Amino acid sequence: MSPTRADFDQYMVPNYAPAAFVPVRGQGSRVWDQAGREYVDFAGGIAVNSLGHCHPAAVAALTEQANKLWHVSNVFTNEPALALAEKIVAATFAERVFFCNSGAEANEAALKLARRVGIDRFGPQKHKVLSAVNSFHGRTFFTVSVGGQPKYSDGFGPRPEGIAHFDYNDLASVEALIDDDTACVIVEPILGESGVLPATREFLQGLRALCDRHNALLIFDEVQTGMGRTGHLFAYEHFGVVPDILSSAKSLGGGFPIGAMLTTDVLARHLSAGTHGTTYGGNPLACAVAGAVFDVINDPATLAGIADKRARIVAGLEAINAELGVFDQIRGLGLLIGAALKPAYEGRAKDVLNAATAEGLMVLMAGPNVIRLAPSLVIADADIDEGLARFARALKAFKG
Ligand SMILES: *Cc1c(COP(=O)(O)O)cnc(C)c1O
């Protein structure tokens, strides 16, 4: 007997509330469930399936590596990890890379590095971490405490100390908190989970200047915005602000779990042998897949295509909205798109998502008032058009 959705409620820890159907197969931007029903995928596994499902380059890299070498631990290094690190260094501000398995782990490494640098250079008092209210940096206890959402960090006992929260896009609120004991400021270039809200250029440039003034490190959490999502390899390029440390995950592996922390040579030296680690980090399978994904994304044709696909989706959403009037604003960058509901539909993003599912379309939420789209970066125009047609039907049904 095949497993069913009911098995989730019987066997799994109930920390998720998955959809009523169980996907079993994907190809490009289409997914099929156990009943053979087909969905257009505008969700992309939450900004993860950057090349859609079963992209031939990723499948080939995984298959080849699967027949070669799976795991050696960090007692040894390995060719796929070295090759991927070299590619990342060649294409970004970074001179050094640390591999791990998720966004939370990449941020955990970034925050530990920043505190270590501060303490090494200036003494134990320099450990303060500043982050934005409503930001999201992962679910380890340090990263969830840094993320400014008490609903995720409350109820687990005492939190790590030395963390304070500023208001996103409000430089004055950062100025009120930052001082010479601040080790780092961590920020998402676009608030992803909390509404697909882009930072202003002035805000990120202002953060850079404030960090420099107080010898604090600037960390960009690009777990969601990185690896082509905004039409640039990383969003820092769009804003013209270079961070000291950058975290990546999600799209980096295209669906194979991997995370990375990028930084400079002088900072990396503070994590000397034995100071940090993870068993699977830099795993050959993950790095082989990520290497293949990297080559496809970091291609001028792919990156240019993202702007075209965004334009096609946004034009479609605007046409739907001209008729139905559900959205206040279509925002975001590249293929991270937020559609904010009008006040009349406040709190009803989940109902829109359910209506989309009923029409055979996977979308995401970013809080209770915003529908979020994070499709494959190489989604075919035909899939965009079909997805938009289904979304139009879904919104009609939603309005009743
Ligand atoms: C998803 C996300 C994370 C956490 O990544 P995981 O792989 O779930 O640990 C961290 N930061 C941002 C901005 C994210 O979108």
Side-chain angles (χ1 to χ4, degrees):
M1 274 252 302
S2 296
T4 66
R5 172 61 181 80
D7 292 337
F8 180 91
D9 299 329
Q10 189 167 354
Y11 300 116
M12 307 278 271
V13 173
N15 60 315
Y16 304 114
F21 66 94
V22 180
V24 293
R25 189 167 66 85
Q27 189 62 56
S29 288
R30 305 275 173 143
V31 172
W32 290 266
D33 71 10
Q34 288 179 312
R37 192 151 182 270
E38 178 233 80
Y39 300 81
V40 173
D41 187 2
F42 278 3
I46 316 189
V48 166
N49 298 315
S50 42
L51 302 183
H53 299 271
C54 296
H55 189 282
V59 172
L62 180 59
T63 310
E64 190 190 328
Q65 191 60 39
N67 285 300
K68 227 186 205 172
L69 186 69
W70 283 32
H71 180 79
V72 289
S73 87
N74 288 300
V75 174
F76 309 93
T77 189
N78 68 79
E79 290 182 354
L82 297 169
L84 177 61
E86 189 182 346
K87 285 177 196 182
I88 292 172
V89 164
T92 67
F93 78 97
E95 296 159 334
R96 301 281 167 162
V97 184
F98 166 80
F99 290 122
C100 50
N101 312 289
S102 68
E105 277 185 70
N107 284 325
E108 185 83 18
L111 294 163
K112 281 180 73 178
L113 171 60
R115 277 193 166 179
R116 180 58 76 114
V117 169
I119 289 164
D120 282 352
R121 285 181 176 170
F122 298 98
Q125 77 292 346
K126 194 164 177 82
H127 65 256
K128 222 162 95 175
V129 176
L130 303 186
S131 78
V133 172
N134 285 333
S135 61
F136 185 79
H137 300 297
R139 298 291 199 123
T140 64
F141 203 37
F142 192 9
T143 57
V144 85
S145 302
V146 167
Q149 303 191 61
K151 68 172 192 267
Y152 292 149
S153 56
D154 281 359
F156 296 101
R159 284 195 286 254
E161 289 174 24
I163 301 165
H165 296 101
F166 53 83
D167 293 325
Y168 197 72
N169 274 340
D170 179 353
L171 214 49
S173 79
V174 184
E175 272 185 287
L177 292 173
I178 199 166
D179 59 24
D180 288 344
D181 292 342
T182 303
C184 65
V185 175
I186 181 169
V187 70
E188 298 169 74
I190 301 174
L191 273 189
E193 299 302 307
S194 292
V196 192
L197 204 67
T200 63
R201 187 176 300 257
E202 300 69 45
F203 180 64
L204 295 183
Q205 286 174 347
L207 285 185
R208 178 72 273 175
L210 283 173
C211 283
D212 291 346
R213 192 181 314 155
H214 293 281
N215 292 312
L217 300 178
L218 180 59
I219 305 173
F220 276 7
D221 178 347
E222 294 228 29
V223 171
Q224 192 156 160
T225 56
M227 285 311 298
R229 184 56 50 190
T230 66
H232 298 267
L233 188 60
F234 286 99
Y236 77 84
E237 301 165 42
H238 168 83
F239 291 99
V241 177
V242 179
D244 301 294
I245 306 174
L246 181 151
S247 54
S248 177
K250 291 202 166 106
S251 292
L252 179 63
F256 204 98
I258 182 171
M261 177 191 71
L262 284 53
T263 190
T264 61
D265 180 42
V266 283
L267 295 179
R269 287 174 203 203
H270 291 263
L271 286 187
S272 55
T275 53
H276 190 58
T278 162
T279 297
Y280 285 122
N283 170 278
L285 290 170
C287 291
V289 175
V293 169
F294 192 95
D295 288 341
V296 177
I297 293 176
N298 192 34
D299 175 323
T302 306
L303 292 172
I306 290 163
D308 298 340
K309 291 173 198 306
R310 176 188 177 81
R312 196 176 185 97
I313 294 175
V314 169
L317 291 175
E318 279 168 353
I320 293 169
N321 204 36
E323 191 192 332
L324 298 175
V326 236
F327 300 118
D328 241 355
Q329 194 188 29
I330 314 289
R331 62 191 183 215
L333 288 171
L335 287 172
L336 184 56
I337 298 169
L341 291 168
K342 280 191 190 294
Y345 303 106
E346 185 165 352
R348 297 197 58 200
K350 182 79 188 178
D351 296 331
V352 173
L353 183 147
N354 288 338
T357 305
E359 289 295 335
L361 176 67
M362 296 161 124
V363 299
L364 300 165
M365 294 165 59
N369 301 314
V370 177
I371 290 294
R372 173 175 40 156
L373 309 181
S376 157
L377 304 179
V378 295
I379 185 171
D381 286 349
D383 292 331
I384 292 177
D385 296 346
E386 177 60 23
L388 287 168
R390 292 181 191 188
F391 199 41
R393 289 201 290 276
L395 287 170
K396 272 183 199 139
F398 163 75
K399 282 192 76 175

